[in-house]
């Protein structure tokens, strides 16, 4: 009877020990939170986030490349559409106004009124109003307006003295490049020149001849 009681007590103690060990193991798993299904879910979530990040990065790269291509295309079109001007005459003649295009006006006046059309050089001298017609004569009257003097490189080429009206016409003064005669000539002589200017309508002229003459101009 005593042996049975001891054996029963031993079995009870062994059972309690097993239950205690099982309880400790359950608490450890609960505290650590390492449930197999939780680990799988976390791994799947991280994989999905990495995939989305890669897709967003690729989309951004493609958009940047597309934007760069558009910029290059636009720059290329702008460069293609820009055409540099080939000569001074074309630049001056853009507005079509004589006052805005003095070089073309000088060329047309000379080609129409100059004594020698084909010259090695064309000298353009701008004379302000108030300048005496003949600086070497103290009795000389003065120009009532700004005038332009056109002259070839040689005396034989002649000269043209005029003022522009801005409408395709000019007032031509009968003033020589070099004065010859006896002086003083008297103020009346010069006043007569000023009062008897001739009005000339200037033709459009030939573009090639105008461009060629512009290249030979010396403007002061």
């Amino acid at each position: 009877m005593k042996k049975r009681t001891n054996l029963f007590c031993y079995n009870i103690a062994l059972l309690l020990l097993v239950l205690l060990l099982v309880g400790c193991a359950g608490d450890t798993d609960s505290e650590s939170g390492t449930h197999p299904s939780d680990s799988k879910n976390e791994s799947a979530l991280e994989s999905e986030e990495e995939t989305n990040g890669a897709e967003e990065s690729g989309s951004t790269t493609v958009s940047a490349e597309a934007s760069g291509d558009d910029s290059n295309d636009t720059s290329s079109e702008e460069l293609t559409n820009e055409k540099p001007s080939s000569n001074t005459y074309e630049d001056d003649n853009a507005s079509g106004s004589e006052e805005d295009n003095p070089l073309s006006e000088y060329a047309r006046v000379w080609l129409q009124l100059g004594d020698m059309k084909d010259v090695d050089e064309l000298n353009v001298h701008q004379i302000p109003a108030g300048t005496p017609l003949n600086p070497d004569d103290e009795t000389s009257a003065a120009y009532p307006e700004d005038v332009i003097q056109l002259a070839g490189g040689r005396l034989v080429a002649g000269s043209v003295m005029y003022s522009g009206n801005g409408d395709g016409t000019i007032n031509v003064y009968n003033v020589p490049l070099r004065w010859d005669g006896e002086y003083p000539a008297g103020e009346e002589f010069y006043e007569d020149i000023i009062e008897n200017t001739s009005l000339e309508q200037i033709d459009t002229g030939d573009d090639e001849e105008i461009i060629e003459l512009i290249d030979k101009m010396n403007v002061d």
Side-chain angles (χ1 to χ4, degrees), residues 69-150:
D69 292 340
D70 292 340
S71 178
N72 291 336
D73 292 341
T74 302
S75 299
S76 177
E77 290 178 359
E78 290 177 352
L79 292 175
T80 302
N81 293 332
E82 291 178 0
K83 297 181 180 179
S85 178
S86 59
N87 54 66
T88 304
Y89 171 71
E90 290 181 354
D91 292 340
D92 288 339
N93 204 40
S95 66
S97 171
E98 289 294 343
E99 291 183 334
D100 294 336
N101 308 305
L103 297 182
S104 57
E105 178 189 284
Y106 303 154
R108 283 194 286 268
V109 170
W110 182 260
L111 291 171
Q112 183 171 330
L113 302 177
D115 293 338
M116 184 180 293
K117 314 301 182 186
D118 186 13
V119 292
D120 295 332
E121 62 178 335
L122 182 62
N123 299 307
V124 181
H125 183 46
Q126 303 180 26
I127 302 175
T131 302
L133 275 68
N134 184 358
D136 296 328
D137 188 349
E138 59 183 11
T139 64
S140 173
Y143 289 105
E145 57 186 343
D146 295 340
V147 296
I148 301 296
Q149 181 191 74
L150 306 178

Side-chain angles (χ1 to χ4, degrees), residues 7-29:
L7 181 61
F8 177 77
C9 291
Y10 174 78
N11 289 336
I12 291 297
L14 182 60
L15 178 60
L16 291 174
L17 180 61
V18 170
L19 292 176
L20 180 61
L21 292 175
V22 170
C24 292
D27 293 340
T28 303
D29 290 341

Side-chain angles (χ1 to χ4, degrees), residues 13-218:
L14 182 60
L15 178 60
L16 291 174
L17 180 61
V18 170
L19 292 176
L20 180 61
L21 292 175
V22 170
C24 292
D27 293 340
T28 303
D29 290 341
S30 177
E31 290 176 0
S32 63
T34 55
H35 195 279
S37 60
D38 292 340
S39 299
K40 291 181 181 180
N41 291 336
E42 289 179 0
S43 298
L45 181 59
E46 291 176 356
S47 176
E48 183 178 356
E49 289 177 350
E50 291 176 356
T51 301
N52 292 337
E55 291 177 352
E56 291 177 358
S57 177
S59 175
T60 303
T61 302
V62 171
S63 299
E65 291 177 352
S67 177
D69 292 340
D70 292 340
S71 178
N72 291 336
D73 292 341
T74 302
S75 299
S76 177
E77 290 178 359
E78 290 177 352
L79 292 175
T80 302
N81 293 332
E82 291 178 0
K83 297 181 180 179
S85 178
S86 59
N87 54 66
T88 304
Y89 171 71
E90 290 181 354
D91 292 340
D92 288 339
N93 204 40
S95 66
S97 171
E98 289 294 343
E99 291 183 334
D100 294 336
N101 308 305
L103 297 182
S104 57
E105 178 189 284
Y106 303 154
R108 283 194 286 268
V109 170
W110 182 260
L111 291 171
Q112 183 171 330
L113 302 177
D115 293 338
M116 184 180 293
K117 314 301 182 186
D118 186 13
V119 292
D120 295 332
E121 62 178 335
L122 182 62
N123 299 307
V124 181
H125 183 46
Q126 303 180 26
I127 302 175
T131 302
L133 275 68
N134 184 358
D136 296 328
D137 188 349
E138 59 183 11
T139 64
S140 173
Y143 289 105
E145 57 186 343
D146 295 340
V147 296
I148 301 296
Q149 181 191 74
L150 306 178
R154 296 181 296 169
L155 188 61
V156 67
S159 64
V160 179
M161 188 79 70
Y162 77 95
S163 65
N165 297 317
D167 58 359
T169 65
I170 62 173
N171 303 314
V172 180
Y173 289 80
N174 186 24
V175 175
L177 182 62
R178 180 182 298 173
W179 291 92
D180 294 323
E182 296 182 2
Y183 304 103
E187 186 174 352
E188 184 178 351
F189 171 78
Y190 296 104
E191 289 291 347
D192 186 61
I193 294 176
I194 293 173
E195 292 174 3
N196 289 280
T197 58
S198 60
L199 182 67
E200 297 286 344
Q201 178 73 44
I202 302 301
D203 299 332
T204 302
D206 181 84
D207 286 352
E208 292 184 0
E209 291 181 350
I210 292 172
I211 294 171
E212 183 179 353
L213 187 56
I214 287 175
D215 290 336
K216 299 177 180 179
M217 287 184 184
N218 299 315

